[in-house]
Amino acid sequence: MPKNKTQGIIFGIIMSYAMAYGMEVYNVAIKEGVDLAAGGFSNMTNIIFRDALIEALYMGVFVFLFSNLWGNRIGAAFAARHCDPKKDNPYICQLLRQAGTVAIMCPTMSLVASILFNIG
């Protein structure tokens, strides 16, 4: 885990782009109908990965922005409300923080994707 602000920013950028790329690979594959073909996702081609990389370039910015504006903060508040690191297992507290962040970021990014991809 990051030890200072610079490490936190670098970690956040790497995680934001990794998450955005993974989501976009899945979304582009679904859009291309790969899941409906015989063999399913094993039929993915390099074009799908390239198209996902292009979309992830700007989606990663949204992930980084929204996670820093409210995703991480709400996740931390959720963990603080339901777990005390002095009494409870720190691993459980970390899982609660991650669960709170995911519970906020999934609907946020679904909303962003719905707005972006339904306008164009």
Side-chain angles (χ1 to χ4, degrees):
M1 292 304 295
K3 303 283 188 231
N4 57 43
K5 192 71 166 173
T6 304
Q7 288 179 356
I9 290 171
I10 292 170
F11 179 77
I13 290 170
I14 291 170
M15 290 304 298
S16 296
Y17 277 97
M19 186 181 81
Y21 184 65
M23 290 186 315
E24 291 306 322
V25 166
Y26 179 76
N27 290 337
V28 170
I30 295 288
K31 185 169 61 175
E32 296 294 324
V34 171
D35 60 323
L36 302 175
F41 288 104
S42 61
N43 294 325
M44 292 197 314
T45 61
N46 290 336
I47 294 171
I48 291 172
F49 293 102
R50 183 203 66 200
D51 292 347
L53 183 62
I54 292 168
E55 288 184 12
L57 289 175
Y58 61 87
M59 288 300 283
V61 173
F62 289 118
V63 173
F64 183 75
L65 180 69
F66 295 137
S67 68
N68 284 314
L69 287 177
W70 58 75
N72 295 335
R73 293 176 186 175
I74 294 174
F78 176 79
R81 187 176 312 119
H82 296 288
C83 186
D84 181 12
K86 294 175 184 159
K87 293 189 302 186
D88 300 323
N89 186 339
Y91 182 71
I92 299 299
C93 295
Q94 183 65 32
L95 285 178
L96 283 173
R97 181 179 178 147
Q98 292 169 350
T101 302
V102 168
I104 294 300
M105 288 304 296
C106 285
T108 299
M109 291 312 299
S110 293
L111 177 65
V112 169
S114 296
I115 292 169
L116 286 177
F117 297 119
N118 287 325
I119 289 175

